[in-house]
mmCIF file of all heavy atoms in Angstrom:
data_model
loop_
_atom_site.group_PDB
_atom_site.id
_atom_site.type_symbol
_atom_site.label_atom_id
_atom_site.label_comp_id
_atom_site.label_asym_id
_atom_site.label_seq_id
_atom_site.Cartn_x
_atom_site.Cartn_y
_atom_site.Cartn_z
ATOM 1 N N PHE G 164 21.176 -27.719 -3.037
ATOM 2 C CA PHE G 164 22.170 -28.226 -3.984
ATOM 3 C C PHE G 164 21.918 -29.720 -4.143
ATOM 4 O O PHE G 164 21.895 -30.182 -5.329
ATOM 5 C CB PHE G 164 23.533 -27.963 -3.455
ATOM 6 C CG PHE G 164 24.551 -28.610 -4.429
ATOM 7 C CD1 PHE G 164 24.968 -28.118 -5.664
ATOM 8 C CD2 PHE G 164 25.129 -29.796 -3.884
ATOM 9 C CE1 PHE G 164 25.802 -28.796 -6.499
ATOM 10 C CE2 PHE G 164 26.107 -30.349 -4.715
ATOM 11 C CZ PHE G 164 26.461 -29.905 -5.991
ATOM 12 N N PHE G 165 21.971 -30.463 -3.079
ATOM 13 C CA PHE G 165 21.920 -31.859 -3.215
ATOM 14 C C PHE G 165 20.568 -32.312 -3.770
ATOM 15 O O PHE G 165 20.577 -33.344 -4.516
ATOM 16 C CB PHE G 165 22.187 -32.514 -1.763
ATOM 17 C CG PHE G 165 23.631 -32.649 -1.470
ATOM 18 C CD1 PHE G 165 24.029 -31.741 -0.414
ATOM 19 C CD2 PHE G 165 24.473 -33.392 -2.196
ATOM 20 C CE1 PHE G 165 25.440 -31.824 -0.139
ATOM 21 C CE2 PHE G 165 25.781 -33.393 -1.826
ATOM 22 C CZ PHE G 165 26.326 -32.618 -0.740
ATOM 23 N N ALA G 168 21.006 -31.372 -7.529
ATOM 24 C CA ALA G 168 22.080 -32.019 -8.320
ATOM 25 C C ALA G 168 22.005 -33.486 -8.261
ATOM 26 O O ALA G 168 22.583 -34.174 -9.161
ATOM 27 C CB ALA G 168 23.468 -31.466 -7.780
ATOM 28 N N TYR G 169 21.426 -34.008 -7.237
ATOM 29 C CA TYR G 169 21.467 -35.494 -7.132
ATOM 30 C C TYR G 169 20.054 -35.979 -7.027
ATOM 31 O O TYR G 169 19.702 -36.879 -6.089
ATOM 32 C CB TYR G 169 22.186 -35.952 -5.890
ATOM 33 C CG TYR G 169 23.656 -35.577 -5.972
ATOM 34 C CD1 TYR G 169 24.115 -34.330 -5.401
ATOM 35 C CD2 TYR G 169 24.556 -36.444 -6.426
ATOM 36 C CE1 TYR G 169 25.453 -34.112 -5.533
ATOM 37 C CE2 TYR G 169 25.974 -36.164 -6.602
ATOM 38 C CZ TYR G 169 26.426 -35.007 -6.175
ATOM 39 O OH TYR G 169 27.779 -34.639 -6.200
ATOM 40 N N VAL G 177 21.611 -39.552 -3.493
ATOM 41 C CA VAL G 177 22.472 -38.528 -2.785
ATOM 42 C C VAL G 177 23.499 -39.245 -2.080
ATOM 43 O O VAL G 177 23.412 -40.161 -1.392
ATOM 44 C CB VAL G 177 21.615 -37.829 -1.768
ATOM 45 C CG1 VAL G 177 22.369 -36.883 -0.885
ATOM 46 C CG2 VAL G 177 20.379 -37.051 -2.205
ATOM 47 N N PRO G 178 24.874 -38.716 -2.422
ATOM 48 C CA PRO G 178 25.955 -39.438 -1.817
ATOM 49 C C PRO G 178 26.002 -39.218 -0.265
ATOM 50 O O PRO G 178 25.466 -38.287 0.306
ATOM 51 C CB PRO G 178 27.156 -38.539 -2.409
ATOM 52 C CG PRO G 178 26.532 -37.204 -2.691
ATOM 53 C CD PRO G 178 25.126 -37.524 -3.148
ATOM 54 N N PRO G 179 26.777 -40.060 0.403
ATOM 55 C CA PRO G 179 26.952 -39.950 1.884
ATOM 56 C C PRO G 179 27.489 -38.713 2.315
ATOM 57 O O PRO G 179 28.199 -37.989 1.704
ATOM 58 C CB PRO G 179 27.783 -41.216 2.187
ATOM 59 C CG PRO G 179 28.443 -41.514 0.925
ATOM 60 C CD PRO G 179 27.589 -41.093 -0.114
ATOM 61 N N VAL G 180 27.219 -38.353 3.642
ATOM 62 C CA VAL G 180 27.895 -37.181 4.278
ATOM 63 C C VAL G 180 29.350 -37.225 4.190
ATOM 64 O O VAL G 180 30.058 -38.313 4.441
ATOM 65 C CB VAL G 180 27.466 -37.060 5.666
ATOM 66 C CG1 VAL G 180 28.210 -35.933 6.459
ATOM 67 C CG2 VAL G 180 25.932 -36.954 5.752
ATOM 68 N N GLY G 181 29.982 -36.217 3.811
ATOM 69 C CA GLY G 181 31.418 -36.052 3.673
ATOM 70 C C GLY G 181 31.950 -36.206 2.299
ATOM 71 O O GLY G 181 33.132 -35.923 1.978
ATOM 72 N N THR G 182 31.008 -36.583 1.351
ATOM 73 C CA THR G 182 31.452 -36.693 -0.032
ATOM 74 C C THR G 182 31.747 -35.359 -0.620
ATOM 75 O O THR G 182 30.934 -34.332 -0.312
ATOM 76 C CB THR G 182 30.272 -37.388 -0.842
ATOM 77 O OG1 THR G 182 29.965 -38.744 -0.289
ATOM 78 C CG2 THR G 182 30.751 -37.488 -2.330
ATOM 79 N N ALA G 183 32.782 -35.186 -1.427
ATOM 80 C CA ALA G 183 33.009 -33.808 -1.989
ATOM 81 C C ALA G 183 32.009 -33.515 -3.015
ATOM 82 O O ALA G 183 31.326 -34.349 -3.615
ATOM 83 C CB ALA G 183 34.411 -33.958 -2.774
ATOM 84 N N ILE G 184 31.638 -32.187 -2.982
ATOM 85 C CA ILE G 184 30.600 -31.680 -3.935
ATOM 86 C C ILE G 184 31.055 -31.977 -5.347
ATOM 87 O O ILE G 184 32.153 -31.621 -5.757
ATOM 88 C CB ILE G 184 30.263 -30.064 -3.691
ATOM 89 C CG1 ILE G 184 29.683 -30.014 -2.276
ATOM 90 C CG2 ILE G 184 29.408 -29.573 -4.704
ATOM 91 C CD1 ILE G 184 29.471 -28.516 -1.918
ATOM 92 N N ASP G 185 30.248 -32.498 -6.075
ATOM 93 C CA ASP G 185 30.471 -32.720 -7.549
ATOM 94 C C ASP G 185 29.233 -32.332 -8.323
ATOM 95 O O ASP G 185 28.234 -32.836 -8.271
ATOM 96 C CB ASP G 185 30.695 -34.217 -7.781
ATOM 97 C CG ASP G 185 31.012 -34.528 -9.307
ATOM 98 O OD1 ASP G 185 31.418 -33.587 -9.917
ATOM 99 O OD2 ASP G 185 30.682 -35.751 -9.724
ATOM 100 N N GLY G 186 29.405 -31.128 -9.080
ATOM 101 C CA GLY G 186 28.341 -30.650 -9.812
ATOM 102 C C GLY G 186 28.383 -29.121 -9.806
ATOM 103 O O GLY G 186 29.298 -28.568 -9.312
ATOM 104 N N THR G 188 27.797 -25.840 -8.567
ATOM 105 C CA THR G 188 27.365 -25.341 -7.322
ATOM 106 C C THR G 188 26.294 -24.191 -7.305
ATOM 107 O O THR G 188 25.659 -23.900 -6.343
ATOM 108 C CB THR G 188 28.633 -24.662 -6.580
ATOM 109 O OG1 THR G 188 29.216 -23.778 -7.404
ATOM 110 C CG2 THR G 188 29.550 -25.807 -6.238
#
Side-chain angles (χ1 to χ4, degrees):
F164 170 78
F165 282 109
Y169 293 94
V177 175
V180 175
T182 302
I184 290 178
D185 180 23
T188 55

